[in-house]
Amino acid sequence: MNFYDWFFLEKGRAPAGLFSWSHLLSVTLILGAFIALAIILGKRFKGDAKKQRNTFMSVTAGILGLFIMKMGFLLATSTDIGNTFLENLPLFFCDMMVFLVPIATFTRGRVQGICYDFIAIGGFVMGFMGNYFAGNIYDFHPAFSYLSLISAFSHSLSAFAALFVFVAGLNKMEKRNIPFVIGILFVFMTITLTVDYLTGKNYMFFLGGDGTPFGIFYDLVKGNLIGYQIIIYVLQCGYIGLFYLIYYPVAKWIKNKKAKSQAS
């Protein structure tokens, strides 16, 4: 068996399984490397607008490149190109970075600030949940395989973007922008839900958990789709609201602590 068959087509190999040692080890190593890099570059490039923009241009290239690599491989190896295309549109929560990182890179002013805030808030959950709770990946693929690594690098790059924004001080977290930050997710979810009903696909897991923790809530409402979908909206939009509720007191506490330290 050649490397292509073993690594790309996964011939003769069993799925890693969610929370298996190979799953946890691979995503932890990749995510940890990106987190360390974000801290180093964020500190080094703080206050340097040109290097910050160049970093985000690199993140844009990485995120778009990984998506193209995944879609290209899936279409090239598919026997039903139309269905494969419909099943892999960038309409999951983590796929929002495909749109928001380029917008943040090439815009200015308030639009850029809103995108930075969303990236800072959403990137952490994308990096953590997307890596450690990806039952839709590791229940079907070995940990060291093309599609699993594409997933791990994509989610870890989202975490990198979030942490880099925080460390480099790019996020504004202005209260006037909260409705727009939440609104981005609400609109994206509504578009996705519409696509799910039109195509029968399960983007953002609106039609079922598919091995993710959302399945707990699907079972909780005994498969009632309307009730389940309302829960999905509340959980995801509520996460952003909860983040803000925690962020402002913590930011104030840090600011006061620094002021006291400087005064003493």
Side-chain angles (χ1 to χ4, degrees), residues 78-205:
S78 174
T79 56
D80 186 349
I81 292 177
N83 188 58
T84 298
F85 179 78
L86 287 177
E87 285 183 339
N88 292 281
L89 295 171
L91 291 175
F92 284 105
F93 178 74
C94 299
D95 292 322
M96 294 183 72
M97 290 298 195
V98 171
F99 307 103
L100 290 175
V101 169
I103 293 173
T105 302
F106 297 107
T107 58
R108 293 291 183 271
R110 191 175 180 187
V111 171
Q112 185 182 55
I114 291 170
C115 289
Y116 277 147
D117 285 358
F118 187 95
I119 290 168
I121 296 170
F124 287 115
V125 73
M126 292 175 187
F128 181 78
M129 298 293 289
N131 271 320
Y132 288 102
F133 293 90
N136 58 318
I137 297 294
Y138 295 96
D139 278 343
F140 300 96
H141 302 283
F144 187 74
S145 64
Y146 183 77
L147 292 175
S148 292
L149 290 178
I150 287 284
S151 173
F153 275 97
S154 297
H155 290 108
S156 298
L157 198 52
S158 295
F160 169 90
L163 191 54
F164 180 83
V165 166
F166 267 111
V167 176
L170 295 173
N171 58 306
K172 302 301 180 186
M173 294 296 179
E174 295 179 340
K175 292 182 179 179
R176 64 173 184 155
N177 287 338
I178 293 176
F180 296 98
V181 175
I182 296 176
I184 289 172
L185 178 56
F186 185 88
V187 171
F188 186 85
M189 291 178 74
T190 303
I191 293 171
T192 301
L193 180 59
T194 302
V195 172
D196 282 350
Y197 274 111
L198 289 175
T199 64
K201 306 305 178 186
N202 192 26
Y203 291 110
M204 295 192 83
F205 309 106

